[in-house]
Amino acid sequence: MKAFLMTACILTGALLAGGCATKKYVRNTTAPVQAKVDQVGEQATQNTQQLKNTQDQVKQVDERAQSGISAANEKASTADQHAGGAMNKANQANQLAGQADQKSDRNAQALAGLRDTVANLDDYNCKPPPRCRSSSTNTS
């Protein structure tokens, strides 16, 4: 058993001496990994900040676009109202033109009748009024 105990002690000592890492070894081994992790962390922070900046810019552009759309809709509505007013005025003008056309036709007909009357005045012959013969005044 002494031999077994001795062998166990030597083996345990060898394992403890050879299998343990020193603080210096761990520091030297993890330093590049830690540097890379820090670098990735900084890049993630920068990407997050750029993403936030981009979102803010998109928000500003969207607000300006909405403002422009609202202004365009308002102007379109005003233009539509003006066009409706112009259409009403055009319809009124069309009705007045139709009435003027009818009056013009009536005046042209009246003028033609007046011209006929004036032209017939030159052909007017005075005729004596017809004499009426009555049966009681018949004296021969």
Side-chain angles (χ1 to χ4, degrees), residues 90-113:
N91 287 337
Q92 289 174 354
N94 191 29
Q95 288 176 349
L96 290 174
Q99 291 172 358
D101 190 39
Q102 290 173 355
K103 285 181 182 179
S104 172
D105 288 343
R106 285 190 301 241
N107 287 340
Q109 289 173 355
L111 184 60

Side-chain angles (χ1 to χ4, degrees), residues 11-138:
L11 222 112
T12 304
L15 283 176
L16 287 176
C20 290
T22 63
K23 287 183 182 181
K24 183 178 178 184
Y25 172 77
V26 170
R27 203 175 313 130
N28 290 340
T29 305
T30 59
V33 173
Q34 185 62 41
K36 196 67 166 169
V37 168
D38 291 342
Q39 182 183 7
V40 169
E42 288 176 15
Q43 286 177 347
T45 303
Q46 289 175 353
N47 287 345
T48 302
Q49 185 61 39
Q50 287 176 349
L51 183 61
K52 186 176 179 339
N53 290 343
T54 302
Q55 287 173 339
D56 290 342
Q57 289 173 351
V58 167
K59 192 177 202 180
Q60 290 173 355
V61 167
D62 185 51
E63 288 171 356
R64 284 185 288 181
Q66 291 299 328
S67 175
I69 289 170
S70 295
N73 284 340
E74 191 174 311
K75 290 192 184 228
S77 177
T78 302
D80 189 41
Q81 291 173 355
H82 287 244
M87 181 61 109
N88 289 339
K89 298 278 184 179
N91 287 337
Q92 289 174 354
N94 191 29
Q95 288 176 349
L96 290 174
Q99 291 172 358
D101 190 39
Q102 290 173 355
K103 285 181 182 179
S104 172
D105 288 343
R106 285 190 301 241
N107 287 340
Q109 289 173 355
L111 184 60
L114 186 59
R115 284 186 181 150
D116 287 343
T117 302
V118 169
N120 289 336
L121 279 179
D122 291 339
D123 297 335
Y124 183 71
N125 292 327
C126 281
K127 294 182 182 177
R131 290 188 183 165
C132 293
R133 295 186 182 168
S134 66
S135 55
S136 61
T137 56
N138 196 358

